[in-house]
Amino acid sequence: MAASIVKFLIVCLLCSVVLALRDKYCSKEYCSIPKAKHIACGKTKDHFGRKCESDARVVNISDINEILVFRLNEYRSLVAKGGYNGYMPAARMGSLSWNKELADMAEYNVRECTLHKDVCFNTKHFRHVGHIASYRGLHGGTQTVSQLLSELLRTWFEPQGEITMNDIVNYYGTSTKLYQNTDFLQIILENANSIGCAALQQMKNGWHQTYFTCIFENGLVVGKPIYTPGRVAGEDCWFAKHPKFKHLCSDKEDYHSRKSKAKAQVQDKAKAQDKVKAQDKVKARSGASIKQADAAPAEGSEATTTGEAAVTDGTELKPANGSEATSTAESQSSSLVVESQTTATQAAESSAVGSETSSTSEKTSTNLDAGQETTISTDGNDVSTTSEPAAETEDEDAFTTTKAPLSILRKEFEKYLRMLNMAAKLVQIKRIVIKTNNYAVGA
């Protein structure tokens, strides 16, 4: 007797649980539409509507779920990119992913074997869902859902009449034009990033009927935009963009939870800090490079000399083997020819030659580095050079040699100072830089 009572109580408990689960969708919590009834209210999972035939069956579409989601994401990405029908890019359009809970709601709908839109499909996790319901009939033949898929998607995505960008940004949902295009607008709704679908087929009066329904995470709301336009597609995504559909946000994009937004903001802040650190490293490296450049010898317009210099106006001279003379004057150029003597006898001869430069038309300079003697003729504007091997001499500075008497060295030093003064004046006039092995004179 006691065992029978226990079994009875268990059965009653199970029945109450089933009824509670079945009737929970009858609560106004799941349906806010006036005088509307939730699609799952008072129904079991294997329920069929009054208009269904005896051969009605729910079609297993698990083999086309991925294809369906992929194709819909292609359509969304096409619009989000910008340019389709003249539409602007979508700043934050999410990518679709499959959801089992929404697929269950879609199955409740196709089991009615009729088209009706004024019902509720909300669930515990999705309280503002949208949906697309379609019907196809073929007389005298049959078609699989896979064969119908392309036709269904094409029909959903083709706008019936002109939908402008203003209609997308300011959706008011009352005109006939917008009502006829609810399927298209539902597909491109930015926050409809979860989807579940179901299909049913049956034969009725010689017609092979197919009912197909898809439930989306969010539906159209009057007064809210279909999507927010931006300069570049996906510029306002909280998380990364979709790896395959570059114009859509990733499937992690959450349009409901505030926590996800806070998490995204933390991630954005961390990315910004990393970016600042990277920029600081680049600046530090650039500063070190600039310091190294400042420490290096200046290059450019230079006159490099190794000793005594003589000035010749009206002619551009180009000594061989590394000695350069460059002037920035437009009408004439000036050059410095530098001589260095390493013995007392050569110094005396150089002094004598230096005193006669104003009355002669030729000057001789000895290139110590190359070991050649170059004769430069300055008649008019022509410059001619002849090179002959010169006797090797010791590469010693005229001011530091110990072979010449002190008086001769002093004269040479004074002469060198005079030439430096002339070079300094030339620097001020012609804005050139002169380098010697002892001093550097420049603007």
Side-chain angles (χ1 to χ4, degrees):
M1 182 67 178
S4 299
I5 295 175
V6 171
K7 290 181 180 180
F8 177 76
L9 293 175
I10 292 174
V11 172
C12 291
L13 180 61
L14 292 175
C15 291
S16 63
V17 170
V18 171
L19 291 174
L21 292 174
R22 187 184 66 177
D23 295 338
K24 71 174 183 177
Y25 291 108
C26 298
S27 171
K28 292 296 181 182
E29 178 184 1
Y30 290 92
C31 188
S32 58
I33 302 176
K35 298 181 180 181
K37 186 178 181 181
H38 196 279
I39 190 66
C41 178
K43 298 176 182 176
T44 60
K45 192 66 186 291
D46 57 353
H47 165 82
F48 283 101
R50 292 181 292 105
K51 295 185 178 181
C52 293
E53 298 295 321
S54 59
D55 63 343
R57 62 183 182 88
V58 175
V59 180
N60 184 3
I61 60 172
S62 59
D63 57 332
I64 64 170
N65 288 351
E66 293 184 3
I67 299 175
L68 175 63
V69 171
F70 183 87
R71 291 292 302 278
L72 289 175
N73 276 329
E74 281 186 328
Y75 287 140
R76 289 168 68 87
S77 182
L78 179 63
V79 174
K81 179 182 179 180
Y84 180 83
N85 279 0
Y87 301 153
M88 296 178 63
R92 190 179 172 230
M93 185 181 293
S95 54
L96 287 172
S97 59
W98 188 262
N99 183 273
K100 179 63 167 57
E101 188 177 18
L102 295 177
D104 290 340
M105 290 298 106
E107 183 175 334
Y108 276 113
N109 193 52
V110 296
R111 282 177 175 273
E112 293 297 318
C113 299
T114 185
L115 289 178
H116 48 83
K117 292 189 175 182
D118 296 330
V119 293
C120 297
F121 300 96
N122 295 336
T123 69
K124 180 180 179 180
H125 299 98
F126 306 110
R127 298 303 178 93
H128 303 286
V129 303
H131 75 284
I132 297 176
S134 295
Y135 163 82
R136 288 291 180 274
L138 182 64
H139 191 270
T142 60
Q143 275 187 316
T144 65
V145 176
S146 299
Q147 293 171 336
L148 289 172
L149 183 60
S150 296
E151 180 185 350
L152 289 172
L153 292 176
R154 185 171 59 253
T155 303
W156 292 352
F157 193 69
E158 289 180 354
Q160 305 297 320
E162 183 180 359
I163 298 294
T164 66
M165 192 66 210
N166 183 60
D167 296 329
I168 292 175
V169 175
N170 303 295
Y171 176 72
Y172 46 90
T174 56
S175 69
T176 302
K177 177 181 68 173
L178 294 180
Y179 183 79
Q180 291 176 345
N181 287 277
T182 53
D183 294 349
F184 170 73
L185 296 176
Q186 179 65 61
I187 290 176
I188 65 172
L189 184 66
E190 65 177 2
N191 59 348
N193 56 343
S194 294
I195 186 176
C197 303
L200 178 141
Q201 290 184 325
Q202 66 175 7
M203 291 295 299
K204 188 172 186 176
N205 299 327
W207 288 85
H208 186 258
Q209 299 178 331
T210 301
Y211 293 92
F212 196 88
T213 298
C214 286
I215 309 293
F216 294 81
E217 175 181 344
N218 286 294
L220 307 176
V221 178
V222 175
K224 291 188 177 181
I226 304 301
Y227 69 78
T228 303
R231 296 181 299 104
V232 180
E235 63 180 0
D236 290 340
C237 294
W238 288 354
F239 299 94
K241 294 183 180 180
H242 195 281
K244 192 172 201 59
F245 303 101
K246 303 296 184 181
H247 307 298
L248 302 178
C249 300
S250 71
D251 54 4
K252 295 181 181 179
E253 199 75 9
D254 194 338
Y255 296 87
H256 302 284
S257 174
R258 293 182 179 179
K259 292 182 179 180
S260 64
K261 183 176 182 180
K263 183 178 179 181
Q265 290 174 346
V266 170
Q267 292 180 349
D268 290 342
K269 186 177 180 180
K271 290 180 180 179
Q273 291 176 348
D274 293 340
K275 187 175 181 181
V276 170
K277 291 180 180 179
Q279 291 175 348
D280 291 341
K281 290 181 179 179
V282 173
K283 289 180 180 179
R285 293 174 182 174
S286 300
S289 299
I290 292 174
K291 290 181 180 180
Q292 292 177 359
D294 291 340
E299 297 180 358
S301 298
E302 300 179 352
T304 304
T305 68
T306 59
E308 182 178 336
V311 181
T312 302
D313 292 331
T315 306
E316 181 181 356
L317 305 181
K318 298 183 179 179
N321 300 322
S323 298
E324 299 178 0
T326 306
S327 172
T328 59
E330 295 181 0
S331 61
Q332 58 175 233
S333 61
S334 299
S335 303
L336 299 178
V337 180
V338 181
E339 300 182 61
S340 292
Q341 304 297 335
T342 59
T343 65
T345 304
Q346 291 173 334
E349 292 176 356
S350 176
S351 178
V353 172
S355 62
E356 298 175 355
T357 53
S358 60
S359 61
T360 61
S361 61
E362 292 188 357
K363 285 188 285 294
T364 303
S365 64
T366 303
N367 189 322
L368 300 179
D369 293 336
Q372 294 180 347
E373 182 176 326
T374 304
T375 302
I376 304 176
S377 176
T378 57
D379 295 333
N381 293 327
D382 297 332
V383 179
S384 62
T385 64
T386 59
S387 298
E388 295 180 0
E392 294 183 0
T393 60
E394 296 179 4
D395 188 11
E396 296 179 339
D397 194 289
F399 308 135
T400 59
T401 180
T402 59
K403 296 181 181 180
L406 184 60
S407 60
I408 296 177
L409 292 177
R410 184 181 292 110
K411 290 181 180 180
E412 290 297 312
F413 182 76
E414 291 174 354
K415 181 179 178 182
Y416 189 83
L417 290 179
R418 288 196 302 272
M419 301 308 297
L420 287 178
N421 290 333
M422 294 174 62
K425 292 179 181 179
L426 185 61
V427 166
Q428 295 177 356
I429 296 173
K430 303 300 181 180
R431 296 180 182 176
I432 65 175
V433 176
I434 300 175
K435 284 187 177 182
T436 72
N437 62 334
N438 295 304
Y439 302 95
V441 181

